[in-house]
Every structure is written in C-alpha cells, then in structure tokens.
Amino acid sequence: MTSTAANETYFISGARLLGDAPADLLIADGVVAAIGADAAADPRATEAVKIEANDQILLPGMVDLHTHLREPGREDAETVETGTQAAALGGFTAVHAMANSNPVADTAGVVEQVWSLGRRSGWVDVRPVGAVTIGLAGERLSELGAMAESRAGVRVFSDDGICVSDPVLMRRALEYVKAFDGVVAQHAQEPRLTEGAQMNEGDVSAVLGLPGWPAVAEESIIARDVLLAEHVGSRLHVCHVSTAGSVDIIRWAKSRGIDVTAEVTPHHLLLTDEKVRTYNPVYKVNPPLRREQDVMALREALADGTIDIIGTDHAPHPTEAKECEWAQAAMGMTGLETALSVVQHTMIETGLMGWKDFARVTSTTPARIGRVVDQGRPIAVGEPANVTLVDPSARWIVEPTEMATMGRNSPFSGLELPGKVTATFFHGTATVLDGALHHRRIAQDNA
Amino acid sequence: MKHLLSTYDLSRADALRILDVTEEMAAVGTREVKKLPALRGRTVATLFFEDSTRTRISFEAAAKRLSADVINFAAKGSSVSKGESLKDTAQTLEAIGAEAVVIRHGASGAADRLAQTDWISAAVVNAGDGTHEHPTQALLDAFTLRQHWARVHGVDPTGTDLSGMNVVIVGDVLHSRVARSNLWLLNTLGAHVTFVAPPTLLPVGIGNWPCTISYDLDEALATGPDAVMMLRVQAERMNAAYFPSTAEYSRRWGFDDARLSALDERGLEDTIILHPGPMNRGLEISAGAADSPRAVVLQQVSNGVAVRMAVLYLLLSGDH
C-alpha cells in the first residue's frame, strides 16, 4: 500500500534493540514514546497498531551518505520517488542524493528542488549533496555557501564520479566549507592514471585485455587529500574506498589526528575482479571491483573503525546502459535494497562485527558526517522514531525485477542473502510494514 | 565446442583437433576446385565493427570454400552508426538465418557477451575483440609453427604438438590480442614463449603468465629461438608515451637487417619470422627481414583460410 497517512501509533513487542534482549516499544506522535514495561502500560498501546517482532532486531534507521537518485535529468534511470521507495525498503530513513544530476546540483535552486522532491515523496529524508565545482567541471567552485544556507541545508559537497584533481581547487574547497561545518566528499581517482580504465589493473585485466584502473590512482589522491585536510584543518570524507593501500593511508592519517572519514560500499565488501571474467557489465563500477586481499582489508578496516561507514553508491541505470559490450556500458550498481543483507553477510555472519557496530556504520556515523541532526540517534524515549526492524534469520534470493528501484543492475541478482527489513519507521510513520511499502510521511509544514 | 571465443580455455585436445582438421582443409586449397560441400545451405555472418580487410576476407573465403552462404556486415555506414546496439544487430542477423556469427569488435569481451547472453543462439567466433584475444590468428600461427616444426624434425605434423619449441614474441604485448591468444595456445601445445617488449608495453601482472619476459631483443635472439613473431606497433600509442620515439623503438625492438644477419651468424638457419600483418616496414621489421626466406607471413595468410574453414566446419557440422 502506498497511500498517504498521518502518523500512527505502533506497539512493537519483543524487539531486540540493537540486538540486545527483547523489549517492547511504543511509537507515537513521531517519536519513541516508551520502551519496555512502560510501553505496555502506556494507554496509547491499546489502540496502537501491533507488530510482533519475535526477536527481530530494531536498529536506528539507516543513513546513506552516497545515493544517486538521478532526478532531475535522468528520470529514465531513477526518480526521487522510486529511489526513496527503494531506500525505505532497504531500511533507510535518510539518503544523500549525489550531485551529478542533470542539471548538476551546483546551485541553491537545484539542491532545493531535490530537497523538495524528497519531502513530497515522504519515504525518507533526502539530503542533497552539493557539487564542489560548477558543472562538475573541476574549474571553479560552486556557490557552496548558497547551497549550505538554502532550505536544503547542504553540508556534504562532492563532485562524485569526477575527482577534484586540481590540488589548489581541492585545498580551497576544504578551506571554504569550514565556514558552515561542511565536508568535502572526494571521489579519489587520479584522472591521468585512469584514462580509458575499464576495471581494476592486475592479473585479471591483463588476461581480459581491459585497460586497468590501478590502485595507486586512488591511493595517491587520498594521500594528497589527507595532507591537504591536515594543512587547512578541515573535514575530508573519502568516498567508496576500494584498496588495501587506501586503508593504510587512512589509518595513518587518523593516527596522525587528521579529520578524515571514509566509506566502503557493500559490493566492495563482497565482490572481486574475478567477476569481470564474465564480461557482464553488471560488474562494471567505479571504483572497480578489486582483488580478494583488498576485500579482506576493507572488511577489517570497517570492523576496526578505520573505515567509518557504509555508503551504498546506489547507481541505477536503464537496461540498455548495461545490455551491451563492457567498454560501452555505464559504470555503477544498485545497492539500497541489498545493503543491509550484504553487510550482514560479509561483516556480521563472519563475526567481524555485531549489530551495535552495524548501527554505528550505517546510521550514527553517517548522520554525524552529514550533520543530519534528527537521524542516527539512539533508540530512546523522546527521540525521533527513525528506526528499522530487521529479521536477521530471513534468507532471500535477489531478484532485481522485484525491486522498487528502476535500476535492474544489481550485481547480486540470483544470490541468496541473509536478513530482511520487515519494517521501517520514518519520523514515526511506517513507510515499510511486513516487508512492503506502507505509508509515505506527509511533511509537517508547508516548506 | 559451441563457440570459439578465446584460446585461454581451449583444451589441448580441442586445439589439436582444430589443427588436424586444418591439415585436411589446407589440402583442399591445393586442389583445382577449392571447394567442399560440407556447409551447403548453412549461413555464416561476419559482423565487423572494426575495419579488418584481411581477417574478414579470410573468413569469407573459408565459409565459401565450405559452400556456406555468407552475409557480410560492416558497422561503418550501417544501422550501427545510427545507434543500433550489438544485441539488436546480432539478433537481426540471426533472424535473417545466420547460424554462425563471426565477430570483430573494438571492445574486449564483445564476443563473450554474444555467446554468454541469451541474445542469440548462433555459434560465435571471435575474430578479434579489443585487446583481449584473436583465437583464429593464434591457431593459424600455431598451425604455421607446427608445419615448420614437423618439417625440421622430419615428421608428419598431424597429431603432433609444439613441445620443445622456443618462440619469441616481440612488441606491444600490452595492447595485442594476438600476443595473448598465442601465449595461451602455444603454452597449451608445449612451446615455450618469451615476450620481448619495453616494460611500458607489458601488462601489469604478466609475471604470473606462463612465459619468460625480456626487455632485450638481442638477448632473446641469442637464446636461439625457433621462431620470432613480430607484433605490429600501433602509431597511436606514441601519444601515450609508451616509448620515446619510433627511432628508439626500432633500434631496440625492431627486427632489422643486423638482427637478421645475426641469425645467420649464429647458424640458426631454421629460425622463422612471423608477423600477423599489416607490417610497418622499417619500424618493427625491416624490408630485408620481411622479404627474407625466413619470413612466413604469406604462409600465415594462406593457413588462415584453412584454420577458419576448420573452425567453421567444427562449429557448424554438429561435430562438437
């Protein structure tokens, strides 16, 4: 059901908060109204919609710092409506919409448009990312301040997909965003070292005859940027880290006290460049799938906190952009609806982290990096009810045609994965119930 | 074999089978009537997204000698230039009746895509894809090498492999589909391969390949190779600074007259020179070397038709 509805009252019985012992929870008026015995005793519980959690796990709503919603401009690939439906089904309550739309989100007008579309959709909080440079051209800074001060309140700036490779421009961006506590999220890719690159450079690319994207092209930019961030005393966020060498540099930077955060995608935690041997463009992504030893280093880094968060880099494409030769295919994979399952599979089932860590890397920390004040909060009385209920024992087979996203380019198609989002609450509204879309949230003001 | 996409996973038995059938097909080429009825009523499409006159006409000649009908499709000036996709083009050809599609494409993996998707059910023959593979070129090279190796040893080539043979392959290995296909196939057939190239024209990860690597052509020639295969230098590579100048490349990695004489001086009278063509005379190979009795370039071209006859015959005759 996707009808609109006002906030309701929900009584969730026997949910394991962050994986702890089962407890009851009452959601009313958009907030967590009561927990434990108080929830059952609350008079509102009687009339509330009852949800038997049966030991399912209640988590803070997931926050994605790296989503491509494609609107405006590429509504054939995704719209804010379909992308945010996918997000809700994946357990998210907030997503950051990347700036490489058409027109590029490099003005207050465009970011407000995206923000407004998000509020109208009502499935999750849509936080626009502002472009660092005008038109992503890497030549002149966008009006970062205007975007920060707009109703969209932009705090994350990125030319994602295109590296801000000019060191002077990168320095200026890092310095400038300090004025409004912003962060520059860098797509680390040295452009000259990756001209024509099609996949990870290594044993597999050598055999396949596909131009290689060397690890050093990512690592050299990260090394430069952490030093720039240190020099100007600013916040740097590294998008979709993909190599073991990058992890080493970030670990060194953090040990030095540099204010750097980093993300890893679910697909880089699971897939290697061996997949490319099929020449199936569904595995074509930027940064490319790397080697097994890189995957292991990324998992370890996420577990020990060197890598701070999961970022989906959800990148839907129309079918024809992938149903072609490898070289002609678009780069990118969908990821919103599979993120939780892939992270459970690669990090929790392997014993590398528990559900509290999961909440940290998928909610608390990304909300902090993006300065999203009402997301990534503790599950406590009085807090905004942005929460997600997960059945960790469920197993499901990924079928892209059954997903809400318009993109069919999931690299996990046909794969059996653990964990299923059964309910998502966005400011107290159940956007997802019984694993299906339920209500959209109506914005509470006329903004 | 349902398709011929690469030599990377071609078994020794399949490779020998193709080479042995090639012997029979080569014999047809010496007859007055160079034609067999084997594929009468069958249709072969050549689907060329890249210009390549010699490979296309070689396949066309092969198909016609087997009495197949041939549809030639060149991307230039076709619906492809109007934006038609590989999928639609291939499906159109199959709808017209093509049972085998011979594809040449600038993108590595294009033949694999046709074969591994459900777009078409026709047999797919890779006639060169990007910088990946060119399996029929490797097969014709192996056939040429086997003919030579058998003659040197005074045996019938049928059923034999290339055990003990030393082959030096020189030039732009990084971008060469010929080099890749040859390495895998020659290795499967028991030959030892040495790649000689500037370090910039060798792929990262080549250390794990079953071959010897050298940056020094004279050093490699001093080992007394049985065959030297020169690769074409692609002029467009110059812009990417893979080597400082054509003059320096020619001095260090070109098969010039001095190196030709050195073979004579070392008593290597049985060493042959191969080149997949087209040759850049004066750059990777001198005119003297190209025209010397050691050069088997035209024999390679002739053998190419026989190899392609064998491949089409094996794929379409039901003898899988």
Side-chain angles (χ1 to χ4, degrees):
Chain A
M1 190 164 90
T2 59
S3 62
T4 57
N7 290 341
E8 296 178 10
T9 304
Y10 296 92
F11 180 79
I12 305 173
S13 63
R16 295 164 54 206
L17 275 57
L18 298 172
D20 285 342
D24 298 338
L25 185 126
L26 186 73
I27 292 172
D29 300 322
V31 299
V32 177
I35 295 176
D38 291 349
D42 193 302
R44 290 172 290 182
T46 318
E47 299 300 318
V49 175
K50 305 285 191 300
I51 298 171
E52 298 283 342
N54 293 325
D55 287 346
Q56 291 183 47
I57 295 170
L58 195 71
L59 299 164
M62 293 159 65
V63 176
D64 191 15
L65 209 65
H66 198 145
T67 307
H68 296 272
L69 292 179
R70 304 298 187 208
E71 191 176 5
R74 286 309 305 268
E75 291 82 359
D76 58 324
E78 190 83 287
T79 63
V80 171
E81 175 73 9
T82 58
T84 54
Q85 286 182 349
L89 287 164
F92 290 89
T93 50
V95 298
H96 287 74
M98 267 299 165
N100 58 348
S101 49
N102 183 16
V104 171
D106 57 3
T107 63
V110 178
V111 294
E112 285 201 356
Q113 180 192 359
V114 174
W115 174 80
S116 174
L117 286 167
R119 283 178 72 80
R120 206 177 308 155
S121 292
W123 299 107
V124 298
D125 190 2
V126 174
R127 313 285 303 185
V129 173
V132 176
T133 65
I134 296 170
L136 309 175
E139 291 170 359
R140 292 172 55 208
L141 290 181
S142 307
E143 288 194 345
L144 307 173
M147 289 189 277
E149 289 164 6
S150 72
R151 287 185 300 166
V154 175
R155 290 294 175 272
V156 182
F157 298 90
S158 181
D159 278 0
D160 181 62
I162 302 174
C163 180
V164 182
S165 61
D166 180 338
V168 175
L169 205 56
M170 186 62 183
R171 174 195 171 148
R172 300 288 180 244
L174 285 166
E175 286 176 317
Y176 197 79
V177 299
K178 288 201 292 183
F180 30 84
D181 195 23
V183 62
V184 178
Q186 175 73 293
H187 172 102
Q189 176 181 2
E190 211 298 311
R192 281 284 283 154
L193 284 172
T194 52
E195 276 175 12
Q198 294 287 326
M199 67 170 295
N200 178 52
E201 181 173 84
D203 291 348
V204 181
S205 68
V207 170
L208 297 184
L210 288 172
W213 197 128
V216 68
E218 174 174 307
E219 294 154 4
S220 58
I221 291 291
I222 296 175
R224 182 200 73 175
D225 285 354
V226 295
L227 292 173
L228 283 173
E230 179 182 44
H231 184 63
V232 303
S234 188
R235 288 204 291 144
L236 168 72
H237 178 73
V238 184
C239 296
H240 40 50
V241 171
S242 70
T243 79
S246 297
V247 167
D248 289 341
I249 294 163
I250 293 162
R251 192 173 281 133
W252 171 84
K254 287 189 165 181
S255 73
R256 203 173 151 95
I258 298 170
D259 196 353
V260 56
T261 54
E263 74 192 25
V264 62
T265 71
H267 48 266
H268 285 108
L269 291 174
L270 181 58
L271 306 173
T272 70
D273 61 357
E274 287 292 331
K275 289 285 185 188
V276 184
R277 288 191 192 276
T278 61
Y279 283 111
N280 185 343
V282 78
Y283 299 113
K284 186 173 177 181
V285 67
N286 185 354
L289 301 177
R290 304 285 190 183
R291 306 161 306 165
E292 182 72 20
Q293 52 265 52
D294 294 304
V295 168
M296 292 304 142
L298 293 169
R299 289 184 185 183
E300 190 185 318
L302 184 64
D304 72 17
T306 303
I307 292 178
D308 302 83
I309 64 167
I310 295 291
T312 68
D313 196 7
H314 174 77
H317 289 290
T319 302
E320 62 271 19
K322 289 288 191 180
E323 213 169 51
C324 57
E325 307 87 312
W326 180 277
Q328 275 86 336
M331 291 185 280
M333 306 168 163
T334 61
L336 286 169
E337 288 158 272
T338 48
L340 180 140
S341 296
V342 174
V343 177
Q344 181 180 336
H345 176 56
T346 54
M347 300 301 294
I348 295 179
E349 290 192 338
T350 53
L352 288 167
M353 61 167 48
W355 288 105
K356 288 187 176 66
D357 296 318
F358 180 92
R360 171 174 54 80
V361 302
T362 62
S363 180
T364 315
T365 308
R368 179 176 57 76
I369 296 168
R371 300 296 192 251
V372 189
V373 294
D374 52 4
Q375 298 274 354
R377 306 284 303 173
I379 303 176
V381 174
E383 291 286 351
N386 294 310
V387 292
T388 294
L389 193 61
V390 175
D391 179 358
S393 63
R395 298 194 73 84
W396 60 295
I397 293 174
V398 179
E399 175 44 75
T401 58
E402 293 174 0
M403 290 181 168
T405 175
M406 289 165 68
R408 298 290 171 255
N409 50 309
S410 170
F412 309 114
S413 177
L415 194 67
E416 186 180 274
L417 289 172
K420 195 74 181 154
V421 172
T422 57
T424 305
F425 297 88
F426 174 43
H427 283 289
T429 298
T431 52
V432 172
L433 263 189
D434 297 324
L437 290 172
H438 189 60
H439 289 311
R440 67 175 79 234
R441 177 175 181 261
I442 301 168
Q444 297 300 299
D445 57 39
N446 294 323
Chain B
M1 275 195 335
K2 167 86 169 78
H3 310 287
L4 179 65
L5 305 173
S6 76
T7 61
Y8 187 75
D9 47 10
L10 192 65
S11 70
R12 182 177 178 279
D14 279 342
L16 287 180
R17 175 96 175 107
I18 294 169
L19 296 184
D20 289 347
V21 173
T22 302
E23 292 285 354
E24 298 167 31
M25 298 301 176
V28 175
T30 63
R31 295 182 197 163
E32 191 180 340
V33 178
K34 299 176 175 56
K35 201 142 176 140
L36 292 176
L39 299 184
R40 189 156 51 203
R42 316 296 295 272
T43 302
V44 174
T46 64
L47 179 51
F48 274 57
F49 291 82
E50 260 188 3
D51 293 336
S52 172
T53 308
R54 72 179 58 211
T55 302
R56 189 184 58 73
I57 62 174
S58 180
F59 269 106
E60 186 176 352
K64 285 180 172 169
R65 281 191 191 173
L66 293 169
S67 304
D69 296 319
V70 181
I71 303 168
N72 286 316
F73 182 97
K76 211 174 264 182
S78 75
S79 50
V80 170
S81 59
K82 298 173 192 163
E84 188 173 76
S85 70
L86 173 64
K87 177 183 175 180
D88 290 335
T89 306
Q91 287 184 332
T92 300
L93 289 175
E94 187 168 71
I96 290 169
E99 294 155 281
V101 173
V102 176
I103 177 172
R104 159 69 63 99
H105 202 295
S108 299
D112 289 68
R113 284 296 280 161
L114 275 191
Q116 289 165 13
T117 55
D118 59 0
W119 300 347
I120 58 171
S121 58
V124 177
V125 181
N126 182 4
D129 62 326
T131 54
H132 177 218
E133 288 229 29
H134 193 354
T136 56
Q137 177 70 41
L139 284 161
L140 75 87
D141 288 338
F143 185 78
T144 307
L145 291 169
R146 190 171 82 158
Q147 276 182 326
H148 172 69
W149 200 229
R151 185 179 57 74
V152 168
H153 289 87
V155 298
D156 176 1
T158 305
T160 66
D161 62 14
L162 301 175
S163 294
M165 193 172 201
N166 283 318
V167 181
V168 170
I169 300 177
V170 188
D172 184 358
V173 175
L174 178 65
H175 301 101
S176 175
R177 49 195 175 209
V178 175
R180 280 173 180 75
S181 282
N182 264 290
L183 173 62
W184 314 130
L185 181 61
L186 298 185
N187 191 60
T188 297
L189 293 174
H192 179 77
V193 173
T194 300
F195 279 139
V196 184
T200 48
L201 290 174
L202 291 168
V204 165
I206 199 168
N208 298 324
W209 288 9
C211 59
T212 301
I213 305 298
S214 172
Y215 308 137
D216 189 325
L217 179 54
D218 294 314
E219 197 176 270
L221 294 178
T223 63
D226 301 295
V228 181
M229 184 183 298
M230 304 306 296
L231 300 173
R232 187 169 70 86
V233 176
Q234 294 163 30
E236 62 270 25
R237 306 288 174 219
M238 286 298 295
N239 293 332
Y242 286 102
F243 48 86
S245 69
T246 51
E248 175 154 320
Y249 182 92
S250 186
R251 276 196 303 273
R252 294 178 69 91
W253 293 284
F255 199 101
D256 56 15
D257 291 348
R259 290 180 171 116
L260 181 66
S261 303
L263 290 184
D264 298 334
E265 290 157 15
R266 291 194 179 98
L268 298 170
E269 66 273 7
D270 289 327
T271 300
I272 54 172
I273 302 168
L274 295 89
H275 194 297
M279 292 186 284
N280 292 308
R281 287 169 182 255
L283 180 51
E284 74 265 6
I285 189 165
S286 67
D291 296 332
S292 77
R294 293 177 185 276
V296 293
V297 178
L298 293 178
Q299 203 177 318
Q300 287 173 272
V301 175
S302 174
N303 289 337
V305 177
V307 155
R308 284 154 185 146
M309 287 171 74
V311 168
L312 292 174
Y313 172 76
L314 289 170
L315 291 179
L316 286 177
S317 68
D319 182 4
H320 296 161

